[in-house]
Amino acid sequence: KMGRGSVSYGFNSMGDPYQGGGGGGYRGGRGSGRPRPYDGGRNFNHRPGKTPGSQWESTTGFSVHMRGLPYTATDDDVRRFFEGLQPVFIKIHTENNKGNGEADVDFANVQDCDQAMERNKAKMQWRYIELFKNVKY
């Protein structure tokens, strides 16, 4: 029996151990882990031409999905983040006319896409940015 303030230990559906509190949380009181798709990128329903976590259809076939952007991020902020590379197209996703912290960026070729991925977990302002590569072969 779990009461308020108690701690449980267990394994998530990926077999990874987790520690959670007794109340609330995303698993009906059985832990405080984040809901999918926030499982380290291991369980996305990846489809060629679609970027994990979005409905984006790449214009070039070489795109990177960005997650964790400041809600005030602009195209210029994304261009500065990928300084030295030449993004072909930038789409910042919005909800209710406000940024939702995600964007998709198209690159001209797979080499630029690979170089962009080297910036995974780099910071934009005060936030670290997660990157997910999507290349259509």
Side-chain angles (χ1 to χ4, degrees), residues 41-63:
R42 295 173 292 192
N43 196 35
F44 285 112
N45 294 321
H46 182 73
R47 300 174 308 275
K50 299 275 187 180
T51 304
S54 91
Q55 299 301 312
W56 173 248
E57 191 73 39
S58 173
T59 61
T60 64
F62 309 106
S63 68

Side-chain angles (χ1 to χ4, degrees), residues 5-21:
S6 61
V7 175
S8 67
Y9 297 91
F11 295 90
N12 65 18
S13 62
M14 300 300 295
D16 297 326
Y18 73 87
Q19 172 184 343

Side-chain angles (χ1 to χ4, degrees), residues 46-52 54 56-66 82 89 103-110 112-114 116-117 131-136:
H46 182 73
R47 300 174 308 275
K50 299 275 187 180
T51 304
S54 91
W56 173 248
E57 191 73 39
S58 173
T59 61
T60 64
F62 309 106
S63 68
V64 172
H65 180 72
M66 303 176 76
F82 290 117
F89 187 78
D104 287 291
V105 182
D106 280 350
F107 292 94
N109 55 54
V110 71
D112 285 351
C113 204
D114 288 340
M117 286 302 299
L131 300 177
F132 303 91
K133 180 178 170 183
N134 184 45
V135 176
K136 187 182 349 179

Side-chain angles (χ1 to χ4, degrees), residues 3-134:
R4 190 171 188 88
S6 61
V7 175
S8 67
Y9 297 91
F11 295 90
N12 65 18
S13 62
M14 300 300 295
D16 297 326
Y18 73 87
Q19 172 184 343
Y26 291 110
R27 293 193 174 112
R30 293 193 170 271
S32 58
R34 297 174 90 179
R36 280 192 171 74
Y38 303 101
D39 62 358
R42 295 173 292 192
N43 196 35
F44 285 112
N45 294 321
H46 182 73
R47 300 174 308 275
K50 299 275 187 180
T51 304
S54 91
Q55 299 301 312
W56 173 248
E57 191 73 39
S58 173
T59 61
T60 64
F62 309 106
S63 68
V64 172
H65 180 72
M66 303 176 76
R67 183 168 63 196
L69 296 171
Y71 294 142
T72 59
T74 65
D75 285 10
D76 288 338
D77 293 325
V78 173
R79 287 186 198 286
R80 276 192 295 278
F81 184 82
F82 290 117
E83 188 175 350
L85 301 174
Q86 295 296 316
V88 174
F89 187 78
I90 299 169
K91 169 65 176 162
I92 296 179
H93 299 280
T94 60
E95 290 178 14
N96 300 322
N97 296 323
K98 295 180 184 176
N100 71 355
E102 298 192 14
D104 287 291
V105 182
D106 280 350
F107 292 94
N109 55 54
V110 71
Q111 292 82 10
D112 285 351
C113 204
D114 288 340
Q115 287 181 336
M117 286 302 299
E118 292 174 8
R119 299 172 193 199
N120 187 35
K121 305 267 175 103
K123 292 207 175 210
M124 179 185 290
Q125 299 174 16
W126 62 95
R127 300 188 53 116
Y128 76 90
I129 308 301
E130 294 178 286
L131 300 177
F132 303 91
K133 180 178 170 183
N134 184 45

